[in-house]
Amino acid sequence: MTQDQAHQAFLVLNAGSSSLKAALYGPEGEDPLVSGQVERIGPEGALKLRTAAGEILPPPEGADLTSHAGAFAAVIASLRAAWPDLRLAAIGHRVVHGGAAYTAPVRLDAQVMEDLAKLSPFAPLHQPHNLAGVRLAMEAFPEAPQIACFDTAFHRGQPFVNDTFAIPHRYYEKGVRRYGFHGLSYDYVTGELERLAPHLMSGRVVVAHLGNGASMCAIYRGRSVASSMGFSALDGLPMGTRCGQVDPGVLLYMLDQEKLDTAQIRQILYNESGLLGLSGGLSNDMRTLEAADTPEAHRAIDYFVFRIQRELGAMAAVMGGVDALVFCGGIGENSRMVRRRICERLGWMGIEIDHGLNARSATIISSEFARTTVMIVPTKEELVIARAARAAAQGVAGASSAGEATSAP
């Protein structure tokens, strides 16, 4: 990092329940100068930061990784050990839930923090940790603008029929709605499509964000019109350990017949389901399941592929067809087997892939005869946040490809 970059750096933070992801960006450019995370915060915590050149930054001596506060302090100490003149022009934060009011990046202050804390019941396993990371950064860098970027913001403005549930309307008025998530990923991919294939952005696109967290989004003329995720980050596709779509009657059965409490049910739905549960506890990692070649692994992969195909058909119905299917996320970008299996039964939608291009993970993997374009666009959620932080430092309150920053009235 040059001296100028050290004085104009932008930190991106993503605080989770047991991890703290961090990336440091310079005043321009799309690749981080440093990226990594503290994983398994607690007695087994480990700090892993790597520069763009591949150099590993050593953890500070005596680092305490047993708490989020200690993890944050260790990240900052490592960065400052490498660049003593480090000054942060702004800090960007991933915040899962912005509710109905926050529809674009916003500068954080006491009122915004209070508003976002009220949304914690809507995302109990994410929101409190996201906001804890914000508070740590505010204490450490009180002069730096703190910018929140929301996973829900990209989906605001969907039609009412895609935003509601068929329960008494008073719940909708209380905020029980289909919010959708992974919006930072969809924001980035949409921007890349505008650059790589602008003709597609005037039509009907489905983006499949497939990873340990997985969802799909129908994008019509550049705007989200439907998402597989709903009120929470549990809905829709099966994920690494999350269940995806489930009949509410199953939850009533757990409550009434098995006498489980909400904490036990939450543990099952968030941490014991998805690929892990379907494979009988074998793994939540698609790479492990592909290599295992066992009946348990096959049934997990089969269900994952089936639900994606089913969701794609639903999104085609919402938009009246599909002009492009775009894969992103860890599985979408790296598993040629999953991409092949998803596409092999979709010829009726005009989807046909070139197996050689798919094996090479080319940007466009559809065959020359296909009516529907199939692409791989690696996502960069951190870059969306970094752009918002840069814009804030320049006096433009959090502008990003999602639009101008807004806040609650």
Side-chain angles (χ1 to χ4, degrees):
M1 186 190 299
T2 67
Q3 185 174 4
D4 285 345
Q5 288 175 323
H7 283 279
Q8 301 179 60
F10 297 86
L11 183 63
V12 171
L13 293 176
N14 179 359
S17 59
S18 61
S19 67
L20 177 67
K21 297 179 182 178
L24 187 70
Y25 287 80
E28 56 187 23
E30 297 200 345
D31 295 320
L33 304 168
V34 179
S35 61
Q37 65 177 319
V38 179
E39 56 187 19
R40 299 190 307 277
I41 292 175
E44 298 181 357
L47 171 60
K48 299 178 180 179
L49 292 176
R50 188 184 298 269
T51 69
E55 176 188 358
I56 297 175
L57 297 186
E61 187 174 347
D64 177 10
L65 304 179
T66 60
S67 67
H68 282 76
F72 178 78
V75 168
I76 299 304
S78 291
L79 295 175
R80 282 181 167 156
W83 297 286
D85 294 330
L86 179 67
R87 300 289 185 274
L88 296 180
I91 302 174
H93 300 268
R94 178 199 180 209
V95 178
V96 164
H97 221 300
Y102 291 98
T103 60
V106 64
R107 184 165 178 168
L108 291 157
D109 58 24
Q111 182 59 59
V112 177
M113 288 292 287
E114 182 180 340
D115 293 341
L116 297 180
K118 292 177 181 177
L119 296 171
S120 292
F122 292 174
L125 300 189
H126 296 87
Q127 196 85 346
H129 300 293
N130 297 161
L131 299 183
V134 172
R135 295 186 188 99
L136 289 170
M138 284 180 162
E139 291 174 6
F141 301 95
E143 302 303 320
Q146 309 279 338
I147 309 302
C149 298
F150 305 102
D151 267 330
T152 52
F154 187 79
H155 306 291
R156 295 297 82 220
Q158 287 188 359
F160 173 77
V161 293
N162 285 331
D163 194 41
T164 192
F165 297 100
I167 57 178
H169 189 68
R170 64 180 180 273
Y171 288 102
Y172 182 84
E173 294 171 337
K174 291 180 178 180
V176 179
R177 306 180 183 188
R178 294 185 58 86
Y179 288 100
F181 297 89
H182 290 139
L184 299 175
S185 177
Y186 296 128
D187 187 337
Y188 177 80
V189 170
T190 301
E192 280 297 280
L193 282 178
E194 185 67 40
R195 182 179 66 85
L196 296 169
H199 63 287
L200 293 176
M201 291 313 299
S202 63
R204 305 158 297 184
V205 177
V206 173
V207 180
H209 176 106
L210 308 179
N212 193 51
S215 69
M216 296 170 69
C217 182
I219 300 171
Y220 181 65
R221 295 182 177 175
R223 297 185 62 85
S224 171
V225 294
S227 170
S228 62
M229 281 185 169
F231 175 69
S232 74
L234 279 174
D235 201 9
L237 305 179
M239 298 166 240
T241 62
R242 282 176 267 170
C243 60
Q245 186 273 331
V246 64
D247 184 337
V250 174
L251 311 186
L252 297 177
Y253 172 84
M254 292 178 175
L255 285 166
D256 295 339
Q257 302 302 317
E258 297 195 338
K259 308 303 180 184
L260 301 182
D261 60 30
T262 55
Q264 292 171 311
I265 294 174
R266 184 179 295 111
Q267 170 66 19
I268 292 171
L269 300 183
Y270 274 97
N271 300 310
E272 300 176 15
S273 300
L275 296 176
L276 180 66
L278 286 165
S279 66
L282 176 61
S283 181
N284 66 313
D285 192 311
M286 183 60 72
R287 293 167 296 186
T288 301
L289 296 177
E290 288 185 23
D293 194 26
T294 64
E296 294 79 9
H298 290 168
R299 73 189 181 203
I301 296 172
D302 289 347
Y303 184 77
F304 185 71
V305 169
F306 165 73
R307 292 299 310 195
I308 293 168
Q309 292 172 327
R310 177 170 169 164
E311 193 66 40
L312 183 58
M315 291 185 170
V318 168
M319 296 189 292
V322 176
D323 300 311
L325 170 63
V326 181
F327 291 103
C328 67
I331 297 173
E333 295 167 23
N334 297 299
S335 177
R336 61 186 182 184
M337 182 274 290
V338 169
R339 294 192 301 262
R340 172 182 58 78
R341 288 201 52 194
I342 289 170
C343 294
E344 65 187 3
R345 295 181 56 228
L346 299 176
W348 62 274
M349 296 179 68
I351 290 176
E352 178 183 322
I353 63 170
D354 180 305
H355 294 290
L357 295 174
N358 182 50
R360 297 197 298 274
S361 296
T363 298
I364 297 178
I365 62 173
S366 45
S367 77
E368 60 180 315
F369 306 108
R371 299 193 315 272
T372 301
T373 303
V374 183
M375 301 178 66
I376 303 169
V377 178
T379 191
K380 296 181 180 180
E381 295 162 286
E382 295 84 0
L383 180 57
V384 174
I385 302 173
R387 288 170 175 167
R390 286 169 177 165
Q394 295 167 2
V396 181
S400 78
S401 58
E404 296 294 321
T406 61
S407 62

